[in-house]
Amino acid sequence: MNSENEDSIYNFLQTQITDTPLSLNNDLSNMGVKFNHRDDFEEIKTFVDEFIEGNNVNRYIVLPGLRGVGKTTILLQVYDYLMNQKNINPEQILYVSCEEIDRIEDCDIYEIIKFYLKTFHNCSLQTLNKKLFLLIDESHFDRDWSVSGKLITDKSKNIFVIFTGSSAINLEYNAEAARRMIRYPITPLNYSQHLKLKYNYHSDISNDLVDLLFNGNVENAIIKEKQVNHDLLNLKEYNSMDWDNYFKFGGFPSVMHDTNYRNATKKLYYSIETVITKDLGTMNNLTANTQTNALRLMKFLAEKYPGDISQNALANKIKTSAGSVNTIMDLLERTHLIFHIGPYSGANTRAKKSWQYYFATPSLMNAINIKFGFSSINLTEYEGVLLETLVGSSLVNLKNSEQFFEFSIFYDTHKVKKQRVDFIIKKDFDEVIPIEVGHGNKSTNQIKDAMRRYKSPHGIIISDTTKTIKKVDNIIFVPIKTFSLM
């Protein structure tokens, strides 16, 4: 640490220690109403409780996620929980933002924590004899954040640390440190989480929707859906436009209470732009030209229908090399701005087919299009793409949640394009389940053809015109709003 800046760092830390407990009420509420906890908080609280009870194993927690997804709120809720429910002295809790430290001098988490222990606790990492909780926000401003976490937790079993950072921290962390940390990605909200955070409404329909999806059992899901619809009709302050606004402008707690949807989309676009122009530069030393190409690629992906995209075609579009496109697409995917789905076919054919790319949420895609103007896709096709994006992202988040079981997601490669379904899911050695996403009235021809080709026990049609779940023969119709509760 630069000795000339020690006084500034001391003053910064002193302010954090003094002011954080006093500002919690404002930081954790909106118009006087305290924020509800998302499910991720409950998982993290389990690790906190274990540490307090004497279990020193899981003390190095990393929360990557897109900007605006609620990571800082989770950290401050942990602070609030420690202080007000576990009666931990605020002097034993430190919340700092590396982005703020970086304005004083180049952020070095390890040196900052050593200075903090020496100055405020009169000890070193090795001599610390009481439990401390370090809540480190925006950790990607320290290029060696993962090594710092390893060194801190290796040298003291009395420290519990949570790092948060832009989704860009998925790109770079020390391999040995990775074996010590617990990575818990914070993803955009599904509609159940949205309802919980915004209206304090809890639903347990998710398990039944998963059962419907993979096993074709609809009875419990129908009962739960009816209950949810009844509850929402009688829910205070809930209005019929809430889901539509969530669909095109939501998924992020940072915009949940924003009634000006133009402002909401500006915030969402800023999140995308910041990951590319600021966070990726912090982690990977990307050139300005590469960052510009990354933004161009995002714009190109936002204005077209998902389909086979060759690296050469993308390279020609933004006037760069196929190798550069490959690198950029990999970076964008590892930051969780986009995801890909591979083709369903034999191994040899699969290797020759391109991937299909989707945005992490429809709202991110919508934000880019509002920013730059909509493409030549007509409104019906555009809303169909948004619906398909929502279904794809829901399936990917389910797969990554590790809450249920392993399964794979593919796109259909049938030679007749008009007979292809949108998604194919497959669990272990079970049969293939085809999924078709529809905007407007949807024919059953595609799903029937896919069920015949793949010998599927049932097929799923997810539509914005279906009012309630119903099963006709072996075809299950699911409203998109209901599906978004999964």
Side-chain angles (χ1 to χ4, degrees):
M1 182 184 297
N2 188 333
S3 59
E4 294 179 3
N5 287 334
E6 281 195 357
D7 286 345
S8 296
I9 294 293
Y10 173 85
N11 290 335
F12 170 77
L13 292 174
Q14 181 66 64
T15 299
Q16 292 300 106
I17 293 167
T18 304
D19 291 358
T20 303
L22 301 176
S23 64
L24 284 178
N25 283 338
N26 286 333
D27 293 334
L28 296 178
S29 63
N30 178 62
M31 298 180 68
V33 179
K34 199 165 186 177
F35 296 147
N36 292 308
H37 294 136
R38 55 186 292 167
D39 295 341
D40 306 287
F41 170 82
E42 302 300 332
E43 294 285 336
I44 294 158
K45 183 165 72 72
T46 300
F47 297 125
V48 172
D49 291 342
E50 288 175 352
F51 175 70
I52 291 173
E53 292 164 7
N55 186 335
N56 294 321
V57 176
N58 299 316
R59 300 179 291 113
Y60 181 6
I61 315 298
V62 179
L63 310 180
L66 292 168
R67 287 175 179 263
V69 85
K71 304 182 300 298
T72 299
T73 298
I74 290 174
L75 277 191
L76 293 176
Q77 286 175 332
V78 170
Y79 194 114
D80 183 59
Y81 172 72
L82 288 168
M83 185 177 72
N84 293 316
Q85 294 190 46
K86 305 306 287 187
N87 298 317
I88 302 296
N89 192 313
E91 293 181 359
Q92 294 173 249
I93 315 168
L94 178 67
Y95 165 80
V96 293
S97 166
C98 290
E99 186 172 17
E100 293 184 36
I101 293 173
D102 204 56
R103 294 172 183 169
I104 302 172
E105 72 168 21
D106 290 344
C107 182
D108 184 328
I109 293 171
Y110 184 61
E111 292 300 321
I112 292 291
I113 296 308
K114 287 201 302 181
F115 178 78
Y116 164 70
L117 290 174
K118 177 183 177 181
T119 308
F120 292 92
H121 293 279
N122 195 31
C123 69
S124 66
L125 284 163
Q126 291 89 339
T127 61
L128 177 66
N129 59 5
K130 57 186 172 184
K131 293 185 184 298
L132 287 186
F133 299 85
L134 307 178
L135 311 177
I136 314 295
D137 213 357
E138 305 290 356
S139 61
H140 54 277
F141 279 87
D142 177 358
R143 295 178 188 274
D144 296 320
W145 66 269
S146 63
V147 175
S148 294
K150 176 184 177 300
L151 291 173
I152 290 167
T153 51
D154 277 356
K155 292 189 175 184
S156 175
K157 295 188 182 301
N158 283 317
I159 288 181
F160 182 97
V161 60
I162 302 178
F163 287 108
T164 78
S166 159
S167 50
I169 68 173
N170 287 311
L171 300 176
E172 190 172 337
Y173 46 82
N174 177 273
E176 188 175 350
R179 291 193 289 271
R180 312 291 181 89
M181 67 176 71
I182 293 177
R183 292 179 65 257
Y184 194 98
I186 306 300
T187 61
L189 305 171
N190 64 23
Y191 196 49
S192 285
Q193 294 165 336
H194 166 90
L195 292 172
K196 179 182 178 183
L197 292 193
K198 189 171 183 179
Y199 301 104
N200 197 26
Y201 176 74
H202 301 255
S203 168
D204 61 349
I205 194 175
S206 179
N207 289 356
D208 300 296
L209 290 173
V210 172
D211 188 31
L212 175 155
L213 204 63
F214 288 93
N215 303 316
N217 300 325
V218 300
E219 291 80 10
N220 289 338
I222 288 173
I223 294 170
K224 296 283 180 65
E225 179 191 52
K226 184 177 181 180
Q227 184 65 53
V228 169
N229 289 337
H230 175 268
D231 292 343
L232 293 183
L233 282 174
N234 296 282
L235 188 62
K236 185 180 179 182
E237 297 181 355
Y238 182 85
N239 68 74
S240 60
M241 291 300 295
D242 185 78
W243 186 86
D244 299 278
N245 295 332
Y246 158 82
F247 172 51
K248 288 187 178 178
F249 307 100
F252 294 78
S254 60
V255 299
M256 181 183 299
H257 298 285
D258 204 328
T259 56
N260 185 321
Y261 298 112
R262 181 69 65 169
N263 288 340
T265 55
K266 286 180 180 178
K267 291 177 185 177
L268 292 174
Y269 180 77
Y270 176 73
S271 295
I272 298 169
E273 189 177 54
T274 304
V275 168
I276 293 171
T277 62
K278 191 173 184 179
D279 300 341
L280 283 181
T282 300
M283 301 303 299
N284 265 36
N285 294 318
L286 294 188
T287 65
N289 186 55
T290 302
Q291 292 171 358
T292 298
N293 284 336
L295 284 171
R296 287 174 179 166
L297 271 180
M298 293 290 280
K299 179 179 180 295
F300 177 67
L301 292 173
E303 66 185 16
K304 71 180 297 298
Y305 199 89
D308 293 3
I309 306 174
S310 72
Q311 306 290 10
N312 288 331
L314 288 172
N316 290 334
K317 180 70 177 179
I318 65 171
K319 296 179 175 57
T320 189
S321 67
S324 177
V325 166
N326 186 56
T327 298
I328 292 169
M329 296 298 278
D330 180 59
L331 290 173
L332 293 176
E333 187 159 8
R334 290 167 66 190
T335 60
H336 293 174
L337 282 170
I338 63 174
F339 62 88
H340 82 267
I341 292 176
Y344 184 78
S345 52
N348 293 332
T349 307
R350 191 173 303 168
K352 298 175 184 177
K353 286 281 187 179
S354 299
W355 289 341
Q356 289 188 351
Y357 289 94
Y358 294 86
F359 283 86
T361 70
S363 58
L364 293 180
M365 177 183 174
N366 195 50
I368 294 174
N369 279 312
I370 289 177
K371 169 74 175 179
F372 292 104
F374 291 87
S375 69
S376 57
I377 297 178
N378 64 45
L379 179 61
T380 298
E381 288 179 329
Y382 179 68
E383 293 193 341
V385 174
L386 291 180
L387 290 174
E388 191 176 326
T389 299
L390 177 62
V391 172
S393 63
S394 298
L395 292 172
V396 167
N397 287 338
L398 179 67
K399 174 180 170 62
N400 293 337
S401 70
E402 300 179 355
Q403 183 179 354
F404 296 97
F405 41 73
E406 280 289 325
F407 69 96
S408 300
I409 311 166
F410 307 98
Y411 69 86
D412 194 1
T413 58
H414 187 54
K415 59 184 179 182
V416 181
K417 189 172 183 179
K418 288 186 177 181
Q419 291 180 287
R420 295 175 188 169
V421 291
D422 293 309
F423 300 103
I424 290 169
I425 56 174
K426 190 177 189 305
K427 181 179 70 168
D428 299 327
F429 298 102
D430 290 358
E431 297 92 340
V432 160
I433 307 298
I435 299 174
E436 178 65 12
V437 184
H439 174 58
N441 294 324
K442 192 70 182 176
S443 166
T444 59
N445 292 339
Q446 285 167 281
I447 204 75
K448 286 179 178 178
D449 181 73
M451 290 167 63
R452 177 187 56 77
R453 283 188 280 120
Y454 296 119
K455 299 179 174 58
S456 306
H458 63 275
I460 313 286
I461 294 180
I462 302 167
S463 168
D464 61 351
T465 55
T466 301
K467 300 302 181 185
T468 58
I469 297 169
K470 61 181 179 180
K471 187 172 186 179
V472 180
D473 296 327
N474 288 328
I475 300 175
I476 302 171
F477 297 83
V478 183
I480 184 66
K481 180 177 175 180
T482 301
F483 183 81
S484 66
L485 293 163
M486 186 174 67

